Amino acid sequence: MKVLIADDERIALKMMKKLIDWEGLELTCAGCAENGNDLFQMILEQKPDLVITDIMMPGYNGLEIIAKTLEAGLEPHFLITSAYANFEYARTAMRLGVGDFLEKPVEKEELNEALSRILGKMESSSGENSSISCIIRTAKKYINEHYDQKISLEDVANHAYISPNYLSSLFKKEVGVNFIEYVTEIRMREAKKLLDDIQYSVVDVAKMVGYRDVGHFSGVFLKRYGVSPTAYRKK
């Protein structure tokens, strides 16, 4: 994993680099910076996994760098160091998602323990994200293969071996729409394709995309596309 280190005191910067158990933690130093402006630029260019930075530096301070990094759409983990035992800094840093906050002078054992904790969180988070992605892929595949049938949240949840409530919350968070909206989108998209083929009547199309009530199908289609299925076909 790539690491950036920043401190406005050159001696402290060299000491920090020396204290880290690079080989044991399987970390790589991607660069060092002596001010906040240079550090932020390096973050944009290097896209590190972890940033170790003093909180008080010329240019952007540590908290400003974290905020600007998040605004840029990057989410490296941060380890903040500071000679100031200031609770407000710590509280703000933790609110911004900082992995740890160490008071200077930083001891070797304390530093490497903090890095180890952060790496553990990163691995756990990575594993969780992989599991979530797998669940969503499984759910989408099931929907894509069964949209022409009566399908419920409970059906898909059972297929993915998770609870309906958990699947519902995952769908909204990961896909951006709720379960019903996603199923409807798939059905309407397929309906448009089928309506382009004149061998199928509107009633046929409704049934082929999972609607037994053609009136309901027409109403949903009209709401989504602004025209009825019949009017869409005439166009």
Side-chain angles (χ1 to χ4, degrees):
M1 293 188 179
K2 293 196 299 184
V3 181
L4 291 178
I5 308 174
D7 198 301
D8 62 333
E9 297 179 12
R10 188 166 297 180
I11 294 177
L13 188 60
K14 290 182 178 179
M15 183 59 68
M16 181 72 71
K17 188 175 180 181
K18 187 176 181 180
L19 292 176
I20 296 173
D21 181 8
W22 297 99
E23 185 176 348
L25 295 172
E26 298 183 349
L27 300 175
T28 301
C29 183
C32 299
E34 295 181 24
N35 65 70
N37 293 1
D38 287 349
L39 174 59
F40 181 58
Q41 190 59 40
M42 291 172 71
I43 290 173
L44 296 180
E45 294 172 356
Q46 296 288 336
K47 296 179 174 56
D49 302 292
L50 175 63
V51 178
I52 304 172
T53 178
D54 187 13
I55 205 165
M56 300 301 291
M57 291 190 298
Y60 301 127
N61 66 39
L63 299 182
E64 290 172 331
I65 289 167
I66 296 169
K68 290 180 69 66
T69 299
L70 294 176
E71 287 174 6
L74 301 176
E75 297 183 353
H77 285 251
F78 283 90
L79 171 58
I80 292 289
T81 64
S82 177
Y84 305 94
N86 189 311
F87 177 72
E88 281 303 316
Y89 279 131
R91 187 168 65 177
T92 304
M94 299 306 277
R95 190 167 64 242
L96 289 170
V98 171
D100 245 308
F101 186 98
L102 300 179
E103 185 178 353
K104 288 182 173 180
V106 178
E107 300 293 332
K108 181 176 182 178
E109 184 177 354
E110 180 185 34
L111 172 61
N112 287 294
E113 284 181 357
L115 291 173
S116 182
R117 284 196 301 272
I118 293 171
L119 292 174
K121 292 176 185 177
M122 292 169 71
E123 290 175 2
S124 175
S125 176
S126 176
E128 182 181 353
N129 289 338
S130 296
S131 296
I132 289 173
S133 295
C134 182
I135 289 170
I136 292 298
R137 283 197 303 271
T138 299
K140 283 183 173 181
K141 185 174 186 294
Y142 186 86
I143 293 168
N144 291 338
E145 293 175 351
H146 296 83
Y147 66 83
D148 59 333
Q149 305 166 25
K150 184 178 180 181
I151 186 172
S152 69
L153 178 66
E154 287 72 19
D155 294 330
V156 182
N158 288 337
H159 181 73
Y161 299 102
I162 59 174
S163 72
N165 286 342
Y166 184 46
L167 178 60
S168 179
S169 65
L170 279 185
F171 240 88
K172 189 67 176 177
K173 181 180 178 182
E174 301 297 323
V175 183
V177 295
N178 65 36
F179 172 80
I180 295 297
E181 289 172 332
Y182 182 79
V183 174
T184 301
E185 174 61 31
I186 296 299
R187 285 173 167 169
M188 291 298 102
R189 191 186 306 162
E190 292 302 314
K192 285 180 71 175
K193 293 178 183 177
L194 292 169
L195 286 168
D196 288 333
D197 190 335
I198 59 173
Q199 71 172 305
Y200 302 121
S201 68
V202 173
V203 173
D204 291 334
V205 172
K207 290 179 179 179
M208 291 169 75
V209 295
Y211 292 91
R212 298 297 170 259
D213 183 341
V214 68
H216 182 207
F217 164 70
S218 297
V220 174
F221 193 94
L222 175 63
K223 183 177 181 180
R224 181 163 292 263
Y225 297 118
V227 292
S228 68
T230 302
Y232 172 81
R233 168 165 280 176
K234 286 180 179 179
K235 284 187 175 183

